[in-house]
Amino acid sequence: VAVGDVRGDGRPVVVATTLTGKVYAWDAGGRRLGGWPRALSTGVVAPAIPRPALKYTRSPVQGAVSAPVLADLRGDGRLAVVQSGWDGYVHAFVDGGRELPGFPVKVSLPASVPAPPAGYVRVNDQKLGATPAVAYLDGRDQPPSLVVRSQFTDTGGEGIQFAGYGYVFA
């Protein structure tokens, strides 16, 4: 849950995200705001039946476990609702639930990332399970950056393993 002045009118808004991947916003009186809920389902498609055998791959689905974050991404003093989802995107909602221009942003490994080290396999997990952090990586005179840990992992074998390599994106 996050609480802040999302509308820019000095009144608090409560924002919460469900496990099923819906982002809701309510006013201080508990009334749901227009334009909400928003689904975290960009690019999500039903899997083929029977499911293809994609070793070390987890396809995107609608859902979320991370908390929403409120941040001024435009530099105008107005807060956007930032949310990562199991669809593999970082979303930023403004002005009654519409996506901020330039969002959602797909989080994926660039082609320049080298193959995993010898003896490791890459888990291609599309979902984003971490809450994004807001950081001024380019200085306070620039809009903030969003930093999020992905579930892409280079691991030393089957299942969950210790000493794996994870990937963080900004």
Side-chain angles (χ1 to χ4, degrees), residues 40 42 73 81-85 87-93 99-100 102-107 128 130 132 146-149 169:
L40 305 172
T42 302
L73 299 180
V81 176
V82 178
Q83 180 68 56
S84 60
D87 61 355
Y89 286 82
V90 174
H91 299 264
F93 301 110
E99 288 269 12
L100 183 67
F103 285 85
V105 174
K106 175 76 170 155
V107 174
L128 297 175
L146 300 174
V147 181
V148 67
R149 178 189 52 82
F169 295 82

Side-chain angles (χ1 to χ4, degrees), residues 22-102:
K22 290 191 177 175
V23 183
Y24 289 85
W26 299 272
D27 67 17
R31 292 174 293 275
R32 191 174 63 197
L33 301 182
W36 302 91
R38 293 299 312 262
L40 305 172
S41 60
T42 302
V44 173
V45 295
I49 303 296
R51 286 184 180 238
L54 301 171
K55 195 167 187 170
Y56 306 116
T57 298
R58 295 184 188 106
S59 298
V61 296
Q62 181 176 317
V65 291
S66 60
V69 175
L70 305 181
D72 178 6
L73 299 180
R74 299 176 282 197
D76 62 0
R78 298 190 55 195
L79 300 175
V81 176
V82 178
Q83 180 68 56
S84 60
W86 289 348
D87 61 355
Y89 286 82
V90 174
H91 299 264
F93 301 110
V94 295
D95 305 328
R98 71 175 176 81
E99 288 269 12
L100 183 67

